Amino acid sequence: MSEENWKQKYLDSLDRLEKKEQQWQNTESLLKQGLTRVALAAEGQDAKLDDDLALLRKTLRQDIDVAHLEQAVNALTQSVTRLDETRNDNHTAHSPQQLLGHWLDSLSFPGPLKTRSKELRRQIDATHSLTEMEDPLRELAKLVNEALQHEDPSAPASGPAQPTSSSGGFFSRLFGGEGAGRAPAADQSATAASPQIGDFCIQLLDTLSLPAALTDQVESLKDKLGEGLSARSVAPALTAIANLISAMRRQMEDENKELQAFLQQLGDKLKEIDQNLSGAQDSHLASMSSGRDFDAVVHAHVKDIESTVDAAPESSQLKQQIQGRLDAIREHLDQYRQAEESRQHQLEAQLAQLNSRVHGMENEGENLRRRLQEKHEQAVRDPLTGLYNRLAYDDRIVQEFARCKRYGQPLVLMMVDIDHFKNVNDTYGHKAGDKALVLIAEQIRNNLRESDFLARLGGEEFVILMTETSLDSAIVAAGKLLKAVERCQFHYQNAQVVITISAGLAQLRKDDSTETLFQRADEAMYRAKQAGRNRCLVEQPAAAAD
């Protein structure tokens, strides 16, 4: 190859390199400009991210050093990743169930309560609607109260408890002490979002989609929470939120009942319309029959006139005139009959169509009423035992209370609680506990009258309303219940488990309210537990109680 050719190739290569370099410079300039604008647009979302964006802009303004640029990009990547994780954590706790679950995970329950807290966590995860959160909240209230007593037994009775020596203990996490900030990494978002129990309760209220009718109660509770909580007011605060959910369920049931009443009225109206349609159809058929009879009579008279005219000695011209008139009458009658029959057929079709629609509406109304009844049964039934639940009890006690007050009939309320039920769950697991609950519920139900009302309030607590029953008769019935439960054969994994119950009785008094009657039975039941369990005690006399 000649020297000239090599020279030309060298010059061509330089020319291509210059063009490439120019392209790279233009690309670098565009990238710098674009990244700088993106960095400016992304400012203001996070302090650490702003610092990393400022470093990136500074690096871009200088001659690019690969090491410096790599360092700036890595820092920016870490900030963006952290921000995304924070957003994801905040997003995952948007529902009441998730918020409650995250907060429960951030607490450090004492050893004896860890199993129950894990079971409560599973129960929260299993909830699918707001109305199902009432029982978990009441159980959480019990757990928190027992945990505070475990750390400081004087807390429930003497106001705010004092933190124990362990700064990371239950008290610290609950009330936002130093230990509250040292939650596991997975729970840091929940802990940081709700360092104190009062703040958590307010956040939980904000996530609940409660009806507008409860707004005043919600705001009033928020005001109390904002003033701060003591150790002994934590459980009542959680219970108050559960009561709001219970009130919402009652309101939903009231609306359900109103809708059922409307459907009943609609069904009655449709039946009335159906009867009117049937009457109209009968009248229509009678009218058609009457019209045909009239037509036959007129035609018969016309024939008689024709026969008379034919036999009469009048002139043929007069006969022709009369015959023409009769033919005209007959023609008009035929036209009228055809038009009337056409209208009658059209009316029959309309009546049939309207009747079909009315029957369709009746069927739809009946189906909707049946579905509402099924929903109502699901709402007032405990899914595990099949017994009535707290919502059903709240309705029934009001009805029985009003009836007994009006007619002066006796009413006894019995509270029942399974003895050492926690030990069954801890020893054999929650599945065994569920089976025990089902068995005991069946034993109690089988040993009551049909007129007695039995409901599971939640956990291992049951309530029985014994109408038209004296206190002496209720004591006998309670004794039978205790023996029936004690004798029941409950086996789990080839091991027999002895289960007993404690009960408390209270009889309706003239000055009672539903709350005071329940409270006296509940106190009697707890005295039975303190006296050794597996027994039934009666309320204290009125003088002693006062």
Side-chain angles (χ1 to χ4, degrees):
M1 183 177 294
S2 64
E3 183 180 348
E4 289 294 330
N5 290 337
W6 280 109
K7 183 178 180 180
Q8 186 60 42
K9 284 191 175 185
Y10 174 72
L11 294 174
D12 291 341
S13 297
L14 287 177
D15 186 50
R16 285 196 298 272
L17 287 173
E18 288 178 357
K19 290 180 179 180
K20 290 287 185 182
E21 185 176 357
Q22 186 63 40
Q23 289 177 356
W24 280 113
Q25 289 177 353
N26 293 338
T27 302
E28 180 182 344
S29 177
L30 287 173
L31 286 173
K32 283 184 176 182
Q33 185 179 8
L35 286 173
T36 301
R37 290 179 179 177
V38 170
L40 289 171
E43 274 190 341
Q45 299 187 50
D46 181 78
K48 181 65 170 62
L49 180 62
D50 289 347
D51 293 341
D52 294 333
L53 290 172
L55 176 62
L56 177 63
R57 292 198 305 273
K58 180 180 179 180
T59 304
L60 292 174
R61 286 195 297 268
Q62 303 170 353
D63 291 336
I64 293 181
D65 180 273
V66 176
H68 290 166
L69 180 60
E70 184 177 1
Q71 181 180 358
V73 170
N74 287 338
L76 181 63
T77 301
Q78 292 176 3
S79 293
V80 171
T81 301
R82 177 184 52 80
L83 188 60
D84 285 341
E85 290 176 351
T86 303
R87 288 173 175 172
N88 289 335
D89 287 340
N90 292 335
H91 177 71
T92 57
H94 69 280
S95 73
Q97 293 93 328
Q98 291 168 335
L99 179 63
L100 188 60
H102 281 304
W103 184 76
L104 181 62
D105 292 340
S106 72
L107 299 178
S108 178
F109 281 94
L113 300 177
K114 287 186 180 296
T115 301
R116 286 176 59 187
S117 67
K118 291 179 181 178
E119 175 58 29
L120 177 59
R121 187 65 168 91
R122 287 192 291 267
Q123 189 178 354
I124 293 171
D125 291 339
T127 58
H128 301 290
S129 65
L130 176 60
T131 56
E132 296 176 357
M133 287 187 61
E134 180 184 353
D135 288 340
L137 275 170
R138 295 187 189 280
E139 174 63 17
L140 178 59
K142 292 181 182 179
L143 272 177
V144 169
N145 198 31
E146 292 179 25
L148 288 171
Q149 289 182 8
H150 186 272
E151 281 204 353
D152 186 350
S154 65
S158 58
Q162 299 299 321
T164 61
S165 59
S166 175
S167 61
F170 180 82
F171 185 97
S172 298
R173 291 185 182 277
L174 187 65
F175 288 97
E178 295 178 1
R182 293 206 295 270
D187 304 317
Q188 283 178 355
S189 60
T191 306
S194 55
Q196 294 186 358
I197 176 63
D199 296 335
F200 162 74
C201 289
I202 292 175
Q203 287 188 359
L204 183 60
L205 284 171
D206 289 337
T207 63
L208 301 178
S209 300
L210 295 172
L214 300 176
T215 300
D216 292 341
Q217 298 182 44
V218 172
E219 294 304 320
S220 175
L221 180 56
K222 282 184 179 180
D223 292 340
K224 293 180 180 178
L225 293 170
E227 296 172 358
L229 292 176
S230 65
R232 63 179 176 181
S233 62
V234 173
L238 293 170
T239 302
I241 299 176
N243 290 339
L244 285 174
I245 297 177
S246 179
M248 182 196 71
R249 293 177 64 187
R250 286 195 296 272
Q251 182 174 336
M252 292 172 60
E253 281 304 305
D254 290 342
E255 293 174 355
N256 190 345
K257 290 177 182 177
E258 290 179 3
L259 181 56
Q260 289 193 48
F262 166 74
L263 289 174
Q264 183 64 44
Q265 294 176 0
L266 177 62
D268 295 340
K269 292 292 184 183
L270 289 174
K271 288 180 181 178
E272 183 180 348
I273 293 174
D274 189 24
Q275 292 174 356
N276 292 336
L277 285 175
S278 298
Q281 193 168 13
D282 293 340
S283 299
H284 159 69
L285 294 175
S287 175
M288 286 188 62
S289 177
S290 177
R292 292 191 182 97
D293 293 341
F294 172 74
D295 185 66
V297 171
V298 171
H299 275 82
H301 283 295
V302 168
K303 280 192 174 183
D304 290 341
I305 293 174
E306 288 177 342
S307 300
T308 303
V309 169
D310 289 340
E314 284 88 352
S315 63
S316 58
Q317 184 178 4
L318 179 60
K319 291 182 178 180
Q320 288 177 358
Q321 290 178 353
I322 293 174
Q323 185 63 45
R325 298 283 184 176
L326 292 174
D327 290 342
I329 292 173
R330 184 182 290 108
E331 182 178 356
H332 282 299
L333 282 173
D334 289 341
Q335 291 175 355
Y336 169 77
R337 186 181 70 251
Q338 291 174 1
E340 187 67 17
E341 286 184 352
S342 177
R343 285 194 296 272
Q344 295 289 355
H345 287 312
Q346 184 177 3
L347 180 59
E348 283 181 358
Q350 291 175 347
L351 284 173
Q353 185 178 13
L354 182 57
N355 199 22
S356 175
R357 289 181 179 178
V358 168
H359 283 300
M361 290 176 65
E362 286 179 346
N363 292 333
E364 289 179 4
E366 182 61 31
N367 290 335
L368 179 56
R369 189 161 57 248
R370 186 172 59 253
R371 289 198 297 270
L372 284 173
Q373 184 62 33
E374 292 173 356
K375 290 291 185 183
H376 173 73
E377 282 297 316
Q378 292 176 3
V380 299
R381 291 284 183 179
D382 173 47
L384 176 63
T385 62
L387 300 180
Y388 287 110
N389 59 15
R390 182 184 296 270
L391 180 62
Y393 165 76
D394 290 340
D395 287 339
R396 186 62 171 266
I397 186 61
V398 172
Q399 298 172 12
E400 296 295 346
F401 199 80
R403 187 171 65 86
C404 293
K405 286 279 189 179
R406 180 177 181 182
Y407 297 107
Q409 296 174 341
L411 173 68
V412 174
L413 188 148
M414 181 190 302
M415 283 293 298
V416 176
D417 190 274
I418 303 174
D419 296 330
H420 299 299
F421 186 70
K422 177 180 177 297
N423 293 341
V424 177
N425 279 328
D426 293 347
T427 305
Y428 303 101
H430 67 279
K431 290 184 178 179
D434 289 347
K435 290 183 178 180
L437 281 170
V438 172
L439 177 63
I440 293 171
E442 183 179 357
Q443 292 295 322
I444 297 176
R445 181 168 44 199
N446 292 341
N447 285 275
L448 293 176
R449 303 172 304 176
E450 291 186 4
S451 58
D452 295 331
F453 176 84
L454 170 62
R456 181 190 176 200
L457 296 183
E460 61 271 24
E461 289 186 341
F462 301 85
V463 63
I464 302 170
L465 294 177
M466 310 179 77
T467 58
E468 300 181 23
T469 304
S470 66
L471 193 57
D472 291 338
S473 299
I475 293 173
V476 175
K480 292 180 180 179
L481 284 183
L482 265 65
K483 291 180 180 178
V485 173
E486 187 178 12
R487 288 196 303 263
C488 72
Q489 298 294 319
F490 176 64
H491 293 82
Y492 190 76
Q493 294 180 349
N494 299 323
Q496 182 174 355
V497 183
V498 178
I499 298 178
T500 61
I501 59 175
S502 297
L505 296 174
Q507 188 172 32
L508 180 64
R509 299 173 183 170
K510 291 183 179 180
D511 58 345
D512 258 333
S513 65
T514 56
E515 291 79 10
T516 56
L517 178 64
F518 182 92
Q519 182 179 1
R520 291 203 314 277
D522 194 49
E523 290 173 352
M525 185 260 295
Y526 275 105
R527 285 193 293 109
K529 283 187 169 294
Q530 293 172 358
R533 295 181 170 82
N534 192 23
R535 66 194 64 206
C536 175
L537 292 184
V538 181
E539 61 181 332
Q540 294 180 346
D546 295 335

